[in-house]
Structure formats: structure tokens, C-alpha cells
Amino acid sequence: MAMCCPHSRPISTEYAPYQEAYVKLVTETDILSALEQQLRQVVDEWSRIDSKTSLMRHPPYTWSLNEVIGHINDAERIFGYRALRFARGDKTELPSFEENEYARAAQFDFCEWRNLIDEFQALRRANFLMLNNLSDSAWMNAGVAGGHRVTVHALAYVLVGHVRHHNNVIRIRLKQPKAVLA
């Protein structure tokens, strides 16, 4: 259904300055295809990691891979929720979230590795379907989250860039020989 924005890149006024790092990681111009392709790619990569490895901590990083994927899931849910609210024209200012507090409260190291992957699949699929069904005009709807204006269009890029950022770190970590079990 959507035609306009899924095929163009957001401009810097569409997102918060701290989100620039995520948006820059997305080189694709068809964000819907990028969302779908990334889902297949990361699930394939993560599925090759065993549950013992998922609990390891690789200095200087402080989170286990379970915690990283749990954080990705929290962010996927929150960014998707923001996109939904703004796409529907909701003007309510939304709060930021403190990722370290969320990770501590969630205790992701007690979660099954496969369940965390399955959760990501469900969240990404739901976000993809919601975004795919937007009207052209809804893509440019904006709201305020964490004190910054952001468009639905930019949030789609943030979804891809956020996962890409963390998956790049996971790849680096898995090449490091020294690790400590959580």
C-alpha cells in the first residue's frame, strides 16, 4: 500500500541527533525490503549460536548475548509502538527508556536463547506488517519521543539501524577468543 517514504531516506530533521548513528547504518532506500531481509539474515546468524555461547560475556562488553538480544527486542517493541502511535496521529509525547534498567529488570540470562530469537521474529514481523499497511501520508507523521521529534519514516530506519549496530558488535564479539560465562 505504501509508496512514498519506504523508497527514500529520512533527512536529519526527521529524527533525534543520537539516532543518526543508526540511520547512517542503513544504506538501503527501500526500508520495507530492508526490514524483511534483515529479519531473515539475523535469525539465521543468531540460530547458529548455541545457548552456552549466548551467556558469555566478552570483555570489554558487559552484557551477555542473551541480554543484547533481549535489549534488541525491547527496542524493537518500543520503536514499533512509537511508529504505531505516530502513524495514527497520536500527539501524546512519549517517554524515553533506560536500556540498562530494562535489561536488569528483565533478567534475560534466565531466558532461553531460542525464545529470544523467536520473540524478535514475532516483533519484527508485526512491525513490518504494520509499516507495510501504512498510507503514504502516515509515513511522514511525527511525534515526540524522549524529548525529540521523530517521524514514522525515520523510526523504520532506526529499527533496521539499531539491529545492524548490535549485530555488528555480536559479530566482533564472537571472533574474540576470551569469554567469561555469565
Side-chain angles (χ1 to χ4, degrees), residues 6-171:
H7 302 289
S8 65
R9 295 187 54 74
I11 58 174
S12 62
T13 58
E14 290 184 55
Y15 51 85
Y18 73 89
Q19 293 172 325
E20 175 82 18
Y22 299 138
V23 174
K24 277 187 173 182
L25 288 175
V26 184
T27 58
E28 299 90 341
T29 54
D30 183 343
I31 196 60
L32 291 171
S33 292
L35 284 159
E36 251 188 335
Q37 183 178 13
Q38 184 180 60
L39 172 60
R40 288 189 301 273
Q41 176 223 331
V42 298
V43 167
D44 180 59
E45 287 182 33
W46 298 343
S47 294
R48 290 189 236 139
I49 300 169
D50 63 70
S51 58
K52 182 177 178 183
T53 302
S54 76
L55 293 172
M56 290 183 172
R57 298 181 192 285
H58 303 83
Y61 305 102
T62 58
W63 284 356
S64 68
L65 297 182
N66 271 35
E67 290 169 320
V68 173
I69 302 305
H71 162 69
I72 288 171
N73 290 345
D74 283 350
E76 185 81 13
R77 185 175 273 114
I78 289 167
F79 296 148
Y81 177 70
R82 290 173 179 174
L84 171 69
R85 297 272 304 255
F86 301 155
R88 300 300 188 252
D90 191 332
K91 299 298 182 195
T92 306
E93 186 169 337
L94 301 177
S96 59
F97 74 104
E98 175 44 54
E99 63 189 40
N100 290 310
E101 289 177 21
Y102 273 52
R104 254 189 313 281
Q107 300 182 11
F108 291 121
D109 282 342
F110 293 104
C111 297
E112 292 293 325
W113 177 243
R114 185 68 231 180
N115 289 348
L116 292 168
I117 296 169
D118 290 346
E119 182 180 357
F120 175 76
Q121 283 184 284
L123 291 165
R124 174 54 61 91
R125 189 76 186 130
N127 285 336
F128 170 82
L129 291 169
M130 181 263 299
L131 292 165
N132 192 50
N133 287 325
L134 293 181
S135 66
D136 289 350
S137 62
W139 279 91
M140 290 311 295
N141 283 359
V144 175
H148 298 277
R149 181 184 177 276
V150 63
T151 65
V152 173
H153 179 220
L155 283 165
Y157 275 77
V158 169
L159 283 167
V160 172
H162 182 258
V163 171
R164 195 162 282 166
H165 162 75
H166 285 290
N167 202 49
N168 288 340
V169 173
I170 289 170
R171 288 174 179 157

